[in-house]
Amino acid sequence: MSSVRFFPATSQTPAAACLLKPSPKPPLHKPISATAAFPRSNARSVPHLRLRRRVRSAPRTPTEAPPVGPDGGGGGGGEGGGGGGDGDEEGENKGLLPEWLNVTTEDAKTVIAAIAISLAFRSFVAEPRFIPSLSMFPTYDVGDRIVAEKVTYYFRKPCVNDIVIFKSPPVLQEVGYTDNDVFIKRVVARAGDIVEVHKGKLVVNGEARNEEFILEPPSYDMNPVQVPENAVFVMGDNRNNSYDSHVWGPLPAKNILGRSIFRYWPPGRIGSTTIDCGGPETKPDSLIDVKLTK
């Protein structure tokens, strides 16, 4: 058991008590104050500098990196990143269609003009045609391709020996043909002529025709028929295998679309398909007719 000593009260402090006074030296492990190491202004700016360093040193993810535009530069800052996002959307939209469909207004105008010119040329100048039957053999064979021009008849009427293309006349439409069906035959007589067939010969105005372009003489007879005004009489060169005017009558001139002038297929038979207007019964109706009949 420890004992407790009591000292008498005196006015002087015991000498041993001096050992209990605090040491005048500062303690060795006294903490360093931040205000003591740096001024107050620097103490405030240190967190600010650290914040800026963190923003600058923050790594960018691939989604935040602005893409390179057509001019080779990248977007900068937050706004630049936003611009890069719009560019990605535009690239995705452009990728939905092939490049050849991305046409400008000028390209569209050029295409429309080309189509309009092509349609106008086909409707008013010339058009290609395909021979589907043997009604004009040997002049045309099945599969031949020809060019039919449409300008000549703006200046003159059809003449004898013209090979014409025409849409079906009303008499054929009554038996099932349509206005879109097109035929090709040779003109053998014009308005006012009297046509008949006897003993294998085509007779026009009482005179037999010498036709070297037909396949064989017709094996039928036909009573005289007078061609009315504004009409022509047409027959196929394959006289015994042709559905023509000797069956359904004269052809109205308004149904004629044009005349054959050139065969471009097959390559071995390329050439002109026109011959001079023939027959002494041909009466010129214009200066062009006069020149063609000389």
Side-chain angles (χ1 to χ4, degrees):
M1 176 180 231
S2 62
S3 61
V4 179
R5 292 181 181 183
F6 296 92
F7 293 92
T10 61
S11 60
Q12 295 181 352
T13 305
C18 295
L19 298 176
L20 299 177
K21 292 182 179 180
S23 175
K25 297 181 180 180
L28 297 177
H29 300 288
K30 185 177 180 180
I32 300 174
S33 172
T35 57
F38 300 97
R40 181 172 298 275
S41 59
N42 292 339
R44 293 179 181 178
S45 62
V46 167
H48 180 64
L49 290 175
R50 287 181 181 178
L51 178 60
R52 292 181 62 184
R53 285 180 182 177
R54 288 178 182 177
V55 172
R56 290 181 180 179
S57 61
R60 283 184 178 177
T61 60
T63 56
E64 293 177 351
V68 178
D71 57 350
E79 296 180 357
D86 295 338
D88 291 340
E89 293 179 0
E90 291 178 1
E92 293 178 359
N93 293 335
K94 290 182 179 179
L96 297 177
L97 296 175
E99 293 183 359
W100 62 271
L101 286 180
N102 297 327
V103 297
T104 63
T105 304
E106 295 299 325
D107 293 335
K109 290 180 180 179
T110 302
V111 172
I112 293 174
I115 294 175
I117 293 173
S118 176
L119 293 176
F121 185 88
R122 185 182 179 94
S123 300
F124 302 105
V125 181
E127 65 175 308
R129 283 290 176 177
F130 173 83
I131 305 300
S133 70
L134 291 172
S135 66
M136 285 295 293
F137 188 81
T139 304
Y140 296 130
D141 202 350
V142 175
D144 286 1
R145 297 181 181 272
I146 63 170
V147 176
E149 63 91 9
K150 304 180 179 183
V151 178
T152 298
Y153 296 146
Y154 294 148
F155 304 99
R156 71 165 175 87
K157 296 179 180 180
C159 68
V160 174
N161 289 335
D162 281 352
I163 299 176
V164 297
I165 61 171
F166 57 93
K167 59 184 180 181
S168 57
V171 64
L172 292 183
Q173 295 183 23
E174 292 176 359
V175 296
Y177 291 94
T178 66
D179 196 52
N180 295 325
D181 294 321
V182 177
F183 301 86
I184 180 169
K185 306 293 179 186
R186 187 185 297 273
V187 176
V188 298
R190 303 195 306 173
D193 293 339
I194 298 176
V195 186
E196 54 188 318
V197 177
H198 292 295
K199 298 180 181 180
K201 288 289 185 179
L202 173 66
V203 180
V204 180
N205 296 332
E207 295 186 7
R209 289 280 183 84
N210 183 18
E211 301 175 306
E212 298 179 354
F213 44 77
I214 66 174
L215 177 63
E216 56 187 0
S219 59
Y220 55 84
D221 289 343
M222 184 185 73
N223 295 327
V225 176
Q226 185 173 13
V227 183
E229 191 68 23
N230 297 322
V232 293
F233 203 91
V234 295
M235 301 179 75
D237 290 351
N238 188 355
R239 294 291 162 83
N240 295 317
N241 189 22
S242 177
Y243 190 53
D244 51 34
S245 290
H246 90 275
V247 178
W248 43 262
L251 170 70
K254 65 181 180 180
N255 285 63
I256 297 176
L257 301 175
R259 65 168 185 156
S260 171
I261 58 171
F262 188 78
R263 174 175 41 229
Y264 65 90
W265 189 266
R269 303 182 65 193
I270 293 176
S272 174
T273 60
T274 61
I275 60 176
D276 294 336
C277 291
E281 72 286 346
T282 302
K283 299 178 182 180
D285 291 335
S286 66
L287 293 176
I288 297 179
D289 285 333
V290 172
K291 293 179 181 178
L292 291 174
T293 55
K294 284 183 179 180

